Amino acid sequence: MSGHHHHDHGHGGHCHDEDGHDHSNDITPAVQSLLYSQIDFDSINTLNEATPKAGAAIVKKTWSERLNDEPELESDADEQLLMYIPFTGQVKVHSLLFYTAPTPSAPKTLKLFKNRDDLDFSTASELTPTQTIEMPQPVPGADVFELPLNRAHWNTTTSITIFVEDNWSAGEEDVTRVGYIGFKGQFMALNREPVSFLYEAAANPNDHVAIPGVSGVGSRIL
């Protein structure tokens, strides 16, 4: 992707690559599209997790840590998980990023609820979710699944609750495991300008090449 920009990468532009990734890998999200810094990690709550705070720990993984074996979220009493993940402000969520090891313990049905901080397993089972997603079954060697959301339903999101209803074992394996969860979208600043504009305004023009796709965004976004 980065080769299509009008920048000349031949003059050592990649030395500005502060997060250490090779951006030629198309799955790597542009820095400004990950909602990582807008997650209220301390308020994440996961029901039926085998290890306390494991749910928060996998959301806290950075993009470069997404395939690490540890930490991992495991369900406890049965295969279901219920994760409440609040944001620090209002966001537009475009897609979920999920990584799970390629085993029958991988989640299958995800029911997503917007702006509900009061759900337990019985209410999550009864209420109509904002959106339901069937996760693909992971295969060996696969990277993160990007699961697109219906953007019209996720425009003014302050929290997302993820109900993992079942896994790929068809009832034979009562432990569900998840390795990484991330979110792509747009954080709405108080003045309603997307935050990528704020990066743009503050950036040294010579550093633009560090963030693929950002250059020139500020002028168009207004």
Side-chain angles (χ1 to χ4, degrees):
M1 294 288 280
S2 50
H4 298 303
H5 295 277
H6 57 267
H7 297 302
D8 173 14
H9 280 293
H11 63 290
H14 279 293
C15 66
H16 297 299
D17 206 354
E18 289 156 21
D19 54 3
H21 304 319
D22 173 11
H23 288 298
S24 60
N25 176 355
D26 283 353
I27 193 174
T28 302
V31 171
Q32 76 278 16
S33 72
L34 270 182
L35 291 173
Y36 186 85
S37 58
Q38 277 75 50
I39 297 169
D40 180 1
F41 294 108
D42 291 339
S43 300
I44 292 174
N45 187 36
T46 308
L47 301 183
N48 198 37
E49 56 184 357
T51 305
K53 297 292 182 187
I58 65 162
V59 179
K60 274 185 179 174
K61 280 185 179 177
T62 62
W63 176 254
S64 58
E65 296 167 337
R66 67 193 184 280
L67 305 183
N68 291 3
D69 291 340
E70 300 289 334
E72 185 176 54
L73 170 61
E74 289 190 2
S75 66
D76 187 17
D78 58 24
E79 74 279 13
Q80 296 189 337
L81 288 163
L82 189 66
M83 295 186 70
Y84 166 72
I85 302 166
F87 298 99
T88 57
Q90 207 171 80
V91 298
K92 297 181 174 184
V93 189
H94 297 165
S95 58
L96 296 186
L97 303 168
F98 252 79
Y99 175 73
T100 61
T103 72
S105 296
K108 184 178 183 186
T109 309
L110 304 181
K111 292 188 174 178
L112 311 175
F113 297 86
K114 174 177 139 181
N115 303 352
R116 294 290 299 247
D117 61 0
D118 56 344
L119 296 181
D120 57 25
F121 284 106
S122 61
T123 50
S125 301
E126 293 164 8
L127 290 173
T128 302
T130 311
Q131 186 167 352
T132 301
I133 292 180
E134 290 286 322
M135 282 262 293
Q137 187 163 18
V139 296
D143 204 312
V144 166
F145 283 127
E146 179 168 4
L147 307 166
L149 298 187
N150 181 336
R151 295 190 183 192
H153 294 164
W154 299 95
N155 272 339
T156 52
T157 304
T158 53
S159 72
I160 185 167
T161 300
I162 301 172
F163 174 36
V164 180
E165 192 170 47
D166 54 17
N167 61 25
W168 276 96
S169 75
E172 294 176 17
E173 172 63 73
D174 61 2
V175 175
T176 294
R177 295 182 176 89
V178 187
Y180 167 86
I181 298 176
F183 303 90
K184 280 172 75 172
Q186 199 171 51
F187 176 68
M188 300 310 289
L190 291 178
N191 60 4
R192 313 305 283 170
E193 289 171 357
V195 148
S196 50
F197 171 78
L198 305 179
Y199 285 136
E200 178 81 7
N204 175 332
N206 298 325
D207 288 344
H208 283 303
V209 289
I211 308 179
V214 163
S215 117
V217 153
S219 52
R220 285 202 301 275
I221 229 146
L222 304 175

